[in-house]
Amino acid sequence: MDRTPRSFAALLGNRFLRIIASLVLAAAALQLAAPARASAASSKAEVRVRAVVLSYFRTSAVSHPAGLQVSDADIARGYMDLPQASSFEFASNTRNPLSVAVAFDPSFISKVGVRMLGDEVTVQTSGGGSTVRNSHIGNQHVAVTYRLHLNSNARAGQYAWPVGLQISSLA
């Protein structure tokens, strides 16, 4: 068994707990360093602590199709609806709007509609984008629905997945 002495902060192990422990120790040191009061009845000290919590937004892709099957009916219709074709996990401590940039293969797609979080972003140029509302704080699973508008070069067949998303928080 390891009997190596460890510091109080090392025993805590958690960064947040170490910060709190440091604040408590600093407050105790301030109390000890305060000059003694003349009144023996009671002494009083005030310590003010200010904490700033930085906002964060993280996203990770959970699933997306490996490919896309375009049929003659899709070409005749001129578009493909792909409900809940991909999904993401979002983690955030802010309700800031999200920027969504959409890249797509223009060799057979003329524009793309992306629907998530109750908003829709439609881009006609690969790399274009817009914003969507984000009303959730914490972790959330987000399903994404696509409408791919096919251009005159589209042919029936199997394609690699033609859409890429870049999602970030605006703040």
Side-chain angles (χ1 to χ4, degrees), residues 92-142:
S92 178
N93 67 349
T94 178
R95 288 187 173 97
N96 292 337
L98 302 177
S99 170
V100 179
V102 183
F104 60 87
D105 183 350
S107 69
F108 70 101
I109 297 173
S110 61
K111 69 178 176 179
V112 174
V114 176
R115 186 161 188 72
M116 70 167 71
L117 299 172
D119 281 341
E120 185 167 345
V121 173
T122 301
V123 298
Q124 294 185 357
T125 304
S126 184
S130 188
T131 61
V132 296
R133 291 171 290 190
N134 176 29
S135 61
H136 185 81
I137 290 181
N139 297 336
Q140 66 178 322
H141 182 83
V142 177

Side-chain angles (χ1 to χ4, degrees), residues 25-171:
L25 291 174
L30 287 173
Q31 178 66 27
L32 292 174
R37 304 262 184 221
S39 168
S42 74
S43 71
K44 193 173 174 180
E46 183 178 314
V47 176
R48 294 183 185 184
V49 178
R50 180 176 182 243
V52 175
V53 178
L54 299 176
S55 64
Y56 70 88
F57 174 78
R58 288 187 293 270
T59 183
S60 60
V62 175
S63 67
H64 65 85
L68 177 69
Q69 180 66 44
V70 178
S71 70
D72 287 327
D74 297 326
I75 292 172
R77 189 174 43 256
Y79 65 89
M80 297 178 69
D81 283 332
L82 304 168
Q84 300 180 0
S86 54
S87 62
F88 294 86
E89 289 291 330
F90 292 170
S92 178
N93 67 349
T94 178
R95 288 187 173 97
N96 292 337
L98 302 177
S99 170
V100 179
V102 183
F104 60 87
D105 183 350
S107 69
F108 70 101
I109 297 173
S110 61
K111 69 178 176 179
V112 174
V114 176
R115 186 161 188 72
M116 70 167 71
L117 299 172
D119 281 341
E120 185 167 345
V121 173
T122 301
V123 298
Q124 294 185 357
T125 304
S126 184
S130 188
T131 61
V132 296
R133 291 171 290 190
N134 176 29
S135 61
H136 185 81
I137 290 181
N139 297 336
Q140 66 178 322
H141 182 83
V142 177
V144 181
T145 296
Y146 301 89
R147 175 170 277 190
L148 307 180
H149 295 267
L150 304 172
N151 66 26
S152 60
N153 297 323
R155 302 289 178 256
Q158 182 72 30
Y159 294 87
W161 181 245
V163 180
L165 300 179
Q166 181 178 9
I167 304 166
S168 58
S169 179
L170 294 175

